[in-house]
Amino acid sequence: MLRVQGLSQSYSPGVPVLRDMSFALGPYTFTAILGPSGAGKSTLVRCIPRLVRPSAGHAWFDGQDLACCSSAALSAARAAISLVSQNVTLVGRRTALVNCLAGRLRELPLWRIALGRYPRPLLAEAMAALDRVRLLDEAFRRADRLSGGQQQRVAIARALTQRARLLLADEPVASLDPENATLVLDLLRGLCRERQLTVLCNLHQVDLARRFADRILGLREGRVVFDGPVASFDANAERRIYRDEPAGADEGAASEPVLPGMPS
């Protein structure tokens, strides 16, 4: 599904944010990224769809190298990738339903968008997505009148309407209360197999990563220092990410992740 190899990024000369990062994601899995502030988590999820251009390395999505492909190929790949961030990018004055349709506007002629004349099958698909995230009753409510947890769920419904196959989530529950955080993460985990969605999610909360993720990717100072299933994420692994050991310690063990279902 996704393979990253040697990915590096520097916003200024001599100040690397990502350092020779390599990992792979199997399809229909939930991978949590853990790391202290400044570890490169947000930069990573933006480099994958080339919202930030990497300084070096590759990011293959379904066999297409997004780091160096043409604009047309990148646009086609992005149609299957959705980004959900802490600051939800919804249009506040538009309804939850219209926000869900945003992921498919590229398919429509401009006159339909201008007049709000959306095809009935597309409207039905968006309504079904809102129903899946338990917001069907809010379909015609303005996005800026929804709670933070509801807005995050609308963003997920937008990804479903978009028919995304890879969802990159950048701290999606950082500003939510525990109940809504649990609801959002449980929803994402359930969608992995139900809708054949692959999720890569930045988190600060170790307990939530243990509870909802299949795998954990641990970053420190722009390097992968842990990559493995949740069952192998022990106290030593947590210390490598957050304290004690130098960032480069044991990074060789994390440089060649082996995931089930991934081609060599």
Side-chain angles (χ1 to χ4, degrees):
M1 164 59 71
L2 177 69
R3 182 161 58 93
V4 169
Q5 183 175 354
L7 200 68
S8 299
Q9 167 62 31
S10 298
Y11 288 115
S12 59
V15 186
V17 180
L18 303 180
R19 307 166 187 253
D20 195 26
M21 188 173 291
S22 298
F23 63 91
L25 300 184
Y28 323 144
T29 55
F30 187 124
T31 299
I33 306 175
L34 292 176
S37 297
K41 301 188 299 296
S42 294
T43 298
L44 172 60
V45 297
R46 283 167 170 75
C47 277
I48 289 170
R50 216 165 83 190
L51 298 175
V52 172
R53 184 180 289 273
S55 306
H58 307 274
W60 282 278
F61 174 65
D62 282 355
Q64 182 73 59
D65 188 354
L66 304 184
C68 59
C69 65
S70 67
S71 297
L74 179 63
S75 179
R78 283 176 175 172
I81 301 174
S82 183
L83 177 64
V84 176
S85 62
Q86 176 181 349
N87 299 315
V88 185
T89 54
L90 301 180
V91 181
R93 292 180 295 176
R94 300 292 186 180
T95 64
L97 176 62
V98 172
N99 272 282
C100 283
L101 298 172
R104 298 282 292 282
L105 295 184
R106 65 187 183 282
E107 303 174 11
L108 304 179
L110 289 177
W111 70 268
R112 279 193 176 275
I113 299 172
L115 296 176
R117 301 278 299 275
Y118 304 107
R120 287 189 177 182
L122 181 55
L123 288 169
E125 194 169 341
M127 292 290 280
L130 286 169
D131 188 30
R132 177 59 188 85
V133 301
R134 301 186 227 171
L135 285 177
L136 186 59
D137 291 343
E138 307 293 344
F140 300 103
R141 192 175 179 188
R142 282 174 47 145
D144 58 7
R145 294 178 181 172
L146 300 174
S147 70
Q150 289 174 325
Q151 289 180 7
Q152 287 289 14
R153 284 187 281 154
V154 170
I156 295 170
R158 180 179 60 192
L160 296 179
T161 306
Q162 181 184 333
R163 299 178 183 175
R165 290 182 292 111
L166 174 63
L167 192 147
L168 305 172
D170 187 14
E171 299 288 355
V173 300
S175 60
L176 302 184
D177 60 76
E179 182 179 356
N180 275 299
T182 296
L183 180 61
V184 168
L185 294 177
D186 189 55
L187 175 63
L188 289 175
R189 183 178 65 176
L191 290 171
C192 288
R193 289 175 177 80
E194 176 190 327
R195 296 294 183 95
Q196 298 186 338
L197 188 67
T198 300
V199 174
L200 182 63
C201 179
N202 285 343
L203 290 173
H204 271 303
Q205 305 93 326
V206 173
D207 60 324
L208 292 179
R210 290 182 187 276
R211 180 176 175 184
F212 292 102
D214 301 306
R215 299 186 68 85
I216 290 177
L217 192 69
L219 307 188
R220 183 169 175 186
E221 298 179 3
R223 294 186 174 94
V224 177
V225 296
F226 177 85
D227 183 7
V230 170
S232 67
F233 185 74
D234 56 16
N236 289 331
E238 187 172 351
R239 280 195 296 269
R240 287 208 300 275
I241 296 172
Y242 292 105
R243 53 187 181 272
D244 293 352
E245 295 188 20
D250 200 30
E251 72 180 274
S255 62
E256 296 189 16
V258 178
L259 301 184
M262 289 299 298
S264 58

